[in-house]
Amino acid sequence: MARNGFFTGLDIGTSSIKVLVAEYIDGEMNVIGVSNVKSSGVKDGIIVDIDAAAKEIKLAIEQAEEKSGISIEKINVGLPANLLQIEPTQGMIPVTSESKEIKDEDVESVVKSALTKSITPEREVISLVPEEFIVDSFQGIRDPRGMMGIRLEMRGLLYTGPTTILHNLRKTVERAGISVENIIISPLAMTKSVLNEGEREFGATVIDMGGGQTTVASMRAQELQYTNIYPEGGEYVTKDISKVLKTSLQIAEALKFNFGNANVREASATDSVQVEVVGSDTPVDVTEKYLAEIISARIKHVLERVKQDLERGRLLELPGGIVIVGGGAILPGVVEIAQEVFGTKVKLFVPHQVGIRNPMFANVIGLVEYVGTLTDVDIIAQSAVTGEEILRRKPIDLGPNYTMPNQQQQPLQNDFAFNDANRFDEEVNIQEAPKPSEPKQNIGDRVRGLFGSMFD
């Protein structure tokens, strides 16, 4: 059950940085502020320039504050799956109180006892997720507080990551003038948000096709079973178009968004667009089919690599199939290509939240949903990991008289509507990306509006 209050999420991607502010009321999440700015200082999901990344994070936070009317002091930050390790752990303590009633302190103590596993100096515990508690041999208990017992045991999953990555993440956010409230494992949050109850139980795989990398996460029996990152994403498609057509990256980006199709069979072999190329005074005609061949080659290359690893782990047999999200997943034809490569059912996940019905926001939505639905036991466990009492505080409460500024009159600026034809309603508007030369009329009439106000 979600806690009432305001929650925040920060998704630091290779191509964009997103901040989301949402309010939970009676278990329903309402988005009240979202920002999306171009990323800097991030490569393959990892921060490589603290100052550059901090500058863009600060900008994204300021935009989210302006739209939501809320001052953000602490934020929940997503951690990518780079070098993430998952291992089972367990702890046991005697219940020492005279009444033998299990309290918060006992839950925290048993979690700490499970943290005594030997961890190498270059790694750090990110999170410990309790799977079950055992009270005097009675198993399957989710929340032991209030029960009586002599011995309390806990079994859970321990998530660890490289100390360097975690340090740089915290340092960058703090450099932006804000504190880290929680570090959330992005693939864990994403699978819990994107997959339904049946898919989480019987098993499914989520593929996040981002700008700089592709992240794969498989869940089964409500547990994250597998994660991997492939350092190829939508930016590589743009680079391929630029290299093959000998045109600028800006024009290649506009071509991809306006005319791109990942399925060669759906692209026209006769309709063409004129493209300015390096070393030529006159534009050249490029057919939709030729452009689709360039796009399809890169996407198939990435998905084939994913398929090999999923086959090795027998994860393609999961009954839930494949769910794809991310900005790279919204190009026409991606779902069809994925079905062809994986040989299983594939679907595109579209968030249902008003104002951000776009797969590119699935990750940051997952972060906020994960934090907003943490149970009291989860919060106690995380406070035991971090040693911070602040984690036990309630979500932001601005009082009963608080009203969002211009709530009725001012809709979210990044309002991406997704219609039945899987096309975005907004027209293409990519900053600093000059459009190619004027295409033929039949092409112009068929421009695909994939993104709307992407970086306004």
Side-chain angles (χ1 to χ4, degrees):
M1 180 66 182
R3 298 170 290 155
N4 289 343
F6 294 87
F7 299 90
T8 60
L10 169 62
D11 175 27
I12 306 173
T14 302
S15 60
S16 66
I17 294 174
K18 304 175 185 68
V19 173
L20 181 68
V21 182
E23 181 184 18
Y24 268 100
I25 302 176
D26 297 331
E28 292 293 329
M29 187 179 96
N30 302 305
V31 176
I32 61 174
V34 64
S35 63
N36 182 27
V37 303
K38 283 188 176 180
S39 184
S40 180
V42 183
K43 182 179 180 181
D44 297 336
I46 300 300
I47 295 171
V48 295
D49 187 330
I50 291 177
D51 288 335
K55 180 181 178 181
E56 301 306 324
I57 290 172
K58 184 177 181 180
L59 176 61
I61 290 172
E62 289 174 348
Q63 290 184 6
E65 287 178 330
E66 181 180 354
K67 294 175 182 179
S68 65
I70 292 177
S71 177
I72 302 174
E73 297 180 355
K74 291 181 176 290
I75 201 161
N76 300 288
V77 188
L79 180 74
N82 301 66
L83 303 178
L84 178 69
Q85 289 184 1
I86 311 169
E87 54 183 307
T89 187
Q90 59 184 21
M92 188 275 290
I93 62 164
V95 181
T96 57
S97 64
E98 292 184 3
S99 65
K100 299 302 178 182
E101 181 175 317
I102 298 171
K103 301 179 180 179
D104 287 5
E105 293 75 13
D106 299 306
V107 174
E108 187 170 0
S109 295
V110 76
V111 171
K112 287 182 177 179
S113 72
L115 293 171
T116 57
K117 298 188 67 168
S118 177
I119 299 175
T120 56
E122 68 273 9
R123 299 194 69 80
E124 180 180 333
V125 176
I126 306 166
S127 179
L128 190 154
V129 178
E131 295 298 314
E132 71 166 342
F133 291 89
I134 304 171
V135 180
D136 294 346
S137 300
F138 291 96
Q139 302 180 358
I141 298 172
R142 301 296 299 175
D143 186 349
R145 295 175 303 162
M147 298 182 179
M148 293 184 64
I150 298 174
R151 184 178 65 185
L152 175 64
E153 300 176 65
M154 185 217 66
R155 294 173 182 166
L157 293 177
L158 192 66
Y159 297 85
T160 65
T163 301
T164 300
I165 292 178
L166 289 162
H167 171 80
N168 291 345
L169 184 64
R170 293 191 187 97
K171 191 74 174 178
T172 303
V173 176
E174 291 169 359
R175 189 73 60 87
I178 196 167
S179 300
V180 175
E181 184 169 14
N182 288 302
I183 291 180
I184 308 298
I185 300 167
S186 291
L188 177 61
M190 184 172 60
T191 48
K192 288 194 172 184
S193 173
V194 169
L195 302 178
N196 60 40
E197 183 69 23
E199 291 167 340
R200 293 194 297 269
E201 181 63 35
F202 292 99
T205 296
V206 178
I207 300 178
D208 180 11
M209 304 178 70
Q213 61 185 14
T214 298
T215 303
V216 178
S218 298
M219 177 170 276
R220 178 171 48 193
Q222 304 290 338
E223 295 179 2
L224 190 62
Q225 301 285 327
Y226 168 82
T227 64
N228 201 2
I229 283 183
Y230 303 84
E232 296 177 73
E235 291 183 354
Y236 286 74
V237 175
T238 302
K239 291 176 182 177
D240 289 345
I241 296 172
S242 173
K243 184 176 180 180
V244 173
L245 300 183
K246 296 182 177 61
T247 190
S248 68
L249 287 173
Q250 289 82 4
I251 291 178
E253 187 86 343
L255 285 170
K256 180 178 73 173
F257 289 143
N258 289 336
F259 307 103
N261 194 321
N263 192 343
V264 178
R265 292 187 296 271
E266 293 182 353
S268 171
T270 57
D271 294 343
S272 63
V273 58
Q274 291 186 325
V275 180
E276 296 178 0
V277 299
V278 176
S280 176
D281 295 331
T282 58
V284 299
D285 285 339
V286 177
T287 65
E288 278 192 345
K289 184 175 182 179
Y290 187 50
L291 182 62
E293 289 173 349
I294 300 171
I295 296 172
S296 176
R298 173 62 66 174
I299 292 178
K300 281 186 176 179
H301 173 72
V302 175
L303 296 182
E304 288 287 355
R305 292 182 60 190
V306 174
K307 179 184 178 182
Q308 291 177 5
D309 292 332
L310 292 180
E311 283 182 331
R312 192 176 297 115
R314 302 184 66 181
L315 295 170
L316 278 180
E317 301 173 6
L318 296 177
I322 306 287
V323 182
I324 57 175
V325 299
I330 62 177
L331 279 174
V334 169
V335 172
E336 291 79 6
I337 293 299
Q339 288 175 333
E340 179 182 317
V341 171
F342 294 117
T344 186
K345 65 175 183 179
V346 179
K347 66 179 180 180
L348 175 67
F349 173 80
V350 182
H352 64 273
Q353 286 80 7
V354 176
I356 48 174
R357 294 191 294 270
N358 187 312
M360 70 189 308
F361 287 101
N363 211 337
V364 71
I365 291 172
L367 297 177
V368 176
E369 286 187 344
Y370 185 87
V371 177
T373 55
L374 284 175
T375 66
D376 291 341
V377 169
D378 292 328
I379 295 173
I380 293 172
Q382 192 62 20
S383 71
V385 171
T386 63
E388 294 182 5
E389 291 295 327
I390 192 68
L391 287 171
R392 298 196 189 192
R393 69 180 178 85
K394 294 181 179 180
I396 304 168
D397 185 2
L398 300 182
N401 296 324
Y402 171 79
T403 57
M404 288 190 298
N406 302 325
Q407 182 175 6
Q408 300 299 325
Q409 293 80 13
Q410 297 293 331
L412 295 178
Q413 292 186 23
N414 284 354
D415 192 347
F416 295 88
F418 205 81
N419 60 25
D420 294 336
N422 288 346
R423 298 282 180 89
F424 293 98
D425 294 336
E426 301 288 342
E427 294 181 356
V428 175
N429 180 15
I430 306 170
Q431 277 190 350
E432 301 176 0
K435 294 184 178 180
S437 300
E438 188 69 24
K440 297 177 181 179
Q441 183 62 34
N442 52 354
I443 282 287
D445 292 339
R446 300 172 57 223
V447 172
R448 299 176 182 87
L450 293 178
F451 285 112
S453 304
M454 184 175 180
F455 298 109
D456 54 10

